[in-house]
C-alpha cells in the first residue's frame, strides 16, 4: 500500500517517528493509502527549513515568486483529471464536482494570487508639508496553514498561494482525512523547481502535527479553516506568542425565501445550496426560512426535487451526491437526524443511510434529508451538522425572519430570495453574516473579502485582504526639508 510522505526542505521524507495513519476511501470504506503520523519533530524540521529559505524568497521580486505560482498552476492544469480522481477517492465527492469545481478553483487560486501580488501596492500619507509617511508591506515570516477535508485542495491552495505570493515561507497541514491532493501538490512543487524550504507540507492529526505548527515559536501567523471549536483552541494556543490569526470557521447559514422571488430559479438553486458536496460546504444554506404564503407550495416542490437527487458511486457521472467523508462524520450526521426527531421534527424525505450495491456496498452514504416542524432555536437549528440535512421553517414577517436568521452563534453566509430591491438592501445591511448572496448562491469573485462574523471567524481572506494579512505594515515617516 502506498505510503504518502511529508514535503520538507524540498524533498519527500518519511515521518521522523516512522508511524502512519490509515487513509480511507469513503465510497468503499477501504483503506487505500497511509499517511505520515507527523509530530513535533517533523514540524520542527519544517519550520527550520522554511526559516532557512525565508530570506531569499522574501527578498525576491514579486514577479519571480509569481512565475513559480503560475508554473505550479500550469502543472495542476495538465494533471487535472488525475487530481480530480484523487480528490474524489479521498473525499467521496462526485468526480464531476472535483473536475468542474475543486481542481479548477485550486488552479485559479495560484493564478489569481500570482497576478494579484504584482498589482499590490501600499499607502502613503503626507502630513501637511512637514513629513511624508509611506507604508512598507513586508512578508510576515513563516506562516502555518491548516485546512479541512470538505474542499481539500481548493482550501489548501486558498491559503498557500497568497502566503507564498506575499513572500512568506509556509508550513502547511491538510486534513488527515483528505491528504492525497496536497501530497500530489508537493510532487508538482518539486517538478516546478520551487526553491527548497519555501513550502513544507506535513501530514498527520490536528492535535499532534497541527498543534505543533500552531505552537511553534518560529511561526508568526496562522491561517486556519475548520470547525469553530478547533478555531477557539488554536486561538488560545497562539495567543501567548501574539501570532497573527486568520480563522475561517463553521456556519449555520440561513436561506431566506420571500414569496415575491423568482420561484423557479430559487427552487433550483436551493436544491444546490442545500445538498451540493453532500451538504459539506461551510456556505450551504442549512436553515431554510420560507414566507408563510408560499410555504406549502415550496415544501411540496422542494421535497419532490430532493427525492429526485441521486446518491451514488462518486465515479458515476449521474450521481448528484457521493459519499460522506468519514465513518465518524457519517455517524455524527445520523445522530443529528435522530436529535431532530427527538426535538419534534418531522422528516419529509431522507433521514436514512443508504447501502449501495457493488464496489460501494461498504461506503458511507446518506439520503438528502428535509425536516420541518422544529423550533427555530432548537439544537438541530443551532448547531452545525455539515451534511445533507436541511430544515424548513415558515415565517410571517421580515422582522420575524431576521430574528430567527440572526439567532445562532454563527455568522458566515446568508442567502436571500426576493425581487424587492429595497428589502434586499435593507436585509443585507442588517443580517449578521460576512457574506450575503441575493438571488444566487456560490458566485465567487476572488477579489472580494471572504469570512464570517460572530463565531464563524476572525479576519477576512481573498483579494487584497489576504495580501494584507500575509504582510506586516511598517510606517516610515520622513521629515521633509523646510
Ligand atoms: P476541524 O476543525 O476538525 O479540522 C480542521 C483542520 O484543523 C484539520 O486539518 C485538523 O486536523 C486540524 N486540527 C484539529 N485540531 C487541531 C489543533 N488542536 N491544532 C491545530 N490543528 C488542528 O474541521 P473539519 O476538518 O472537520 O472541517 C469541517 C469544518 O470546517 C466545519 O465546521 C466547516 O464549517 C468548517 N469550514 C469552514 C469554512 C470557512 O471558510 N469558514 C470552509 C470550509 C469548512 P485533522 O486532520 O486531525 O482533522
Amino acid at each position: 500500500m502506498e505510503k504518502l510522505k511529508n514535503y520538507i526542505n524540498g524533498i519527500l521524507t518519511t515521518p521522523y517517528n516512522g508511524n502512519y495513519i490509515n487513509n480511507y476511501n469513503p465510497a468503499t470504506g477501504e483503506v487505500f493509502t497511509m499517511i505520515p503520523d507527523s509530530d513535533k519533530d517533523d514540524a520542527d524540521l519544517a519550520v527550520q527549513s522554511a526559516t532557512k529559505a525565508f530570506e531569499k524568497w522574501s527578498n525576491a521580486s514579486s514577479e519571480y515568486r509569481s512565475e513559480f505560482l503560475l508554473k505550479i498552476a500550469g502543472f495542476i492544469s495538465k494533471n487535472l483529471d488525475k487530481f480530480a480522481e484523487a480528490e474524489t477517492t479521498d473525499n467521496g465527492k462526485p468526480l464531476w464536482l472535483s473536475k468542474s469545481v475543486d481542481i479548477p478553483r485550486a488552479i485559479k487560486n495560484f493564478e489569481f494570487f500570482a497576478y494579484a501580488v504584482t498589482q499590490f501596492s501600499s499607502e502613503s500619507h503626507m502630513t501637511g508639508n512637514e513629513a511624508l509617511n509611506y507604508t512598507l508591506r513586508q512578508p510576515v515570516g513563516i506562516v502555518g496553514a491548516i485546512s479541512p477535508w470538505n474542499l481539500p485542495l481548493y482550501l489548501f491552495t486558498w491559503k498557500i498561494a497568497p502566503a507564498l505570493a506575499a513572500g512568506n515561507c509556509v508550513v502547511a497541514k491538510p486534513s488527515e482525512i483528505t491528504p492525497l491532493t496536497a501530497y500530489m501538490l508537493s510532487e508538482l512543487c518539486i517538478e516546478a523547481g520551487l526553491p527548497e524550504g519555501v513550502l513544507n507540507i506535513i501530514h498527520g492529526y490536528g492535535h499532534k502535527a497541527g498543534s505543533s505548527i500552531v505552537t511553534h515559536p518560529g511561526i508568526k501567523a496562522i491561517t486556519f479553516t475548520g470547525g469553530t471549536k478547533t478555531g477557539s483552541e488554536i486561538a488560545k494556543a497562539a495567543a501567548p506568542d501574539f501570532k497573527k490569526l486568520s480563522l475561517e470557521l463553521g456556519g449555520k447559514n440561513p436561506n431566506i425565501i420571500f414569496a415575491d422571488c423568482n420561484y423557479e430559479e430559487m427552487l433550483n438553486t436551493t436544491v444546490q445550496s442545500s445538498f451540493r458536496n453532500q451538504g459539506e460546504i461551510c456556505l450551504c444554506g442549512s436553515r431554510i426560512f420560507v414566507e408563510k404564503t408560499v410555504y406549502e407550495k415550496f415544501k411540496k416542490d422542494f421535497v419532490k426535487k430532493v427525492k429526485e437527487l441521486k446518491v451514488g458511486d462518486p465515479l458515476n457521472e449521474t450521481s448528484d451526491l457521493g459519499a460522506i467523508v468519514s465513518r465518524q462524520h457519517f455517524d455524527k450526521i445520523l445522530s443529528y437526524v435522530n436529535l431532530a426527531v427527538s426535538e419534534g421534527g418531522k422528516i419529509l424525505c431522507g433521514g436514512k443511510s443508504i447501502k449501495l450495491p457493488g464496489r460501494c456496498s461498504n461506503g458511507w452514504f446518506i439520503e438528502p434529508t428535509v425536516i420541518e416542524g422544529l423550533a427555530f432555536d432548537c439544537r438541530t437549528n443551532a448547531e452545525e451538522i455539515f451534511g445533507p440535512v436541511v430544515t424548513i421553517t415558515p415565517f410571517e414577517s421580515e422582522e420575524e425572519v431576521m430574528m430567527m436568521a440572526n439567532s445562532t452563534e454563527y455568522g458566515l453566509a446568508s442567502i436571500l430570495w426576493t425581487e424587492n430591491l429595497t428589502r434586499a438592501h435593507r436585509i443585507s445591511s442588517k443580517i449578521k453574516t460576512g457574506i450575503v448572496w441575493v438571488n444566487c448562491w456560490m458566485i465567487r469573485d476572488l477579489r472580494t473579502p471572504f469570512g464570517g462574523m460572530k463565531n464563524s471567524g476572525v479576519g477576512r481572506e481573498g483579494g487584497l485582504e489576504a495580501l494584507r494579512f500575509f504582510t506586516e505594515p511598517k510606517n516610515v515617516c520622513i521629515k521633509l526639508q523646510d
Side-chain angles (χ1 to χ4, degrees), residues 76-77 79-88 93-109 151 153-154 272 276-278 281 314 316-317 319-320 441-442 444 446:
I76 304 176
S77 255
N79 292 284
L80 192 147
D81 287 347
K82 247 169 57 192
F83 269 87
E85 276 157 32
E87 204 70 297
T88 285
K93 67 178 70 205
L95 183 58
W96 60 262
L97 190 60
S98 298
K99 272 189 189 167
S100 62
V101 175
D102 288 75
I103 307 306
R105 173 57 193 278
I107 297 165
K108 262 256 151 50
N109 288 339
L151 301 166
L153 195 66
Y154 175 132
Q272 299 298 319
R276 171 73 67 84
N277 204 44
Q278 301 73 245
I281 304 183
N316 193 334
E317 282 295 312
S319 297
D320 297 297
W441 179 68
M442 276 303 255
R444 289 280 294 118
L446 302 193

Side-chain angles (χ1 to χ4, degrees), residues 54-334:
F54 180 69
E55 185 160 338
K56 198 158 171 223
W57 183 251
S58 59
N59 283 318
S61 69
S62 49
E63 283 77 11
Y64 172 85
R65 296 194 296 263
S66 176
E67 270 171 36
F68 278 107
L69 299 197
L70 290 174
K71 202 165 175 188
I72 294 167
F75 282 6
I76 304 176
S77 255
K78 265 200 222 143
N79 292 284
L80 192 147
D81 287 347
K82 247 169 57 192
F83 269 87
E85 276 157 32
E87 204 70 297
T88 285
T89 309
D90 225 2
N91 172 280
K93 67 178 70 205
L95 183 58
W96 60 262
L97 190 60
S98 298
K99 272 189 189 167
S100 62
V101 175
D102 288 75
I103 307 306
R105 173 57 193 278
I107 297 165
K108 262 256 151 50
N109 288 339
F110 277 113
E111 288 175 349
F112 176 84
F113 285 107
Y115 294 125
V117 75
T118 63
Q119 311 297 314
F120 190 42
S121 57
S122 62
E123 313 85 49
S124 73
H125 304 87
M126 281 294 287
T127 309
N129 292 326
E130 194 189 0
L132 165 68
N133 292 274
Y134 63 88
T135 309
L136 289 175
R137 288 203 166 263
Q138 297 172 318
V140 175
I142 314 305
V143 168
I146 298 177
S147 59
W149 47 257
N150 64 324
L151 301 166
L153 195 66
Y154 175 132
L155 289 174
F156 196 59
T157 53
W158 178 237
K159 303 183 165 307
I160 289 171
L164 294 179
N168 302 280
C169 292
V170 175
V171 178
K173 188 194 91 64
S175 167
E176 122 270 344
I177 299 168
T178 52
L180 195 50
T181 48
Y183 172 68
M184 290 165 69
L185 175 69
S186 55
E187 292 179 317
L188 288 193
C189 289
I190 295 172
E191 206 182 320
L194 186 70
E196 60 193 39
V198 165
L199 173 64
N200 303 272
I201 300 176
I202 62 172
H203 297 274
Y205 291 115
H207 64 273
K208 285 168 81 178
S211 120
S212 304
I213 294 173
V214 170
T215 53
H216 198 292
I219 299 270
K220 300 297 172 212
I222 296 157
T223 166
F224 168 78
T225 299
T228 292
K229 194 163 156 278
T230 316
S232 158
E233 279 168 28
I234 288 178
K236 269 184 229 147
D241 293 327
F242 308 106
K243 294 179 185 190
K244 217 173 170 185
L245 279 182
S246 172
L247 304 175
E248 301 290 346
L249 310 176
K252 186 75 178 176
N253 309 308
N255 178 3
I256 302 172
I257 298 166
F258 282 92
D260 70 357
C261 69
N262 177 333
Y263 189 82
E264 280 310 309
E265 206 179 332
M266 174 280 295
L267 192 63
N268 291 329
T269 309
T270 294
V271 174
Q272 299 298 319
S273 65
S274 303
F275 300 113
R276 171 73 67 84
N277 204 44
Q278 301 73 245
E280 296 165 338
I281 304 183
C282 54
L283 305 162
C284 277
S286 54
R287 293 181 296 146
I288 304 175
F289 297 106
V290 189
E291 195 165 10
K292 206 164 185 176
T293 50
V294 284
Y295 183 81
E296 288 305 323
K297 176 173 165 52
F298 171 81
K299 179 165 102 180
K300 190 167 130 268
D301 295 343
F302 182 58
V303 168
K304 180 168 178 283
K305 276 202 177 287
V306 174
K307 280 183 176 163
E308 285 163 10
L309 291 173
K310 192 161 174 259
V311 181
D313 187 334
L315 297 180
N316 193 334
E317 282 295 312
T318 60
S319 297
D320 297 297
L321 283 79
I324 300 298
V325 72
S326 67
R327 173 82 217 194
Q328 196 190 12
H329 194 53
F330 169 89
D331 289 339
K332 176 186 153 184
I333 295 168
L334 291 175

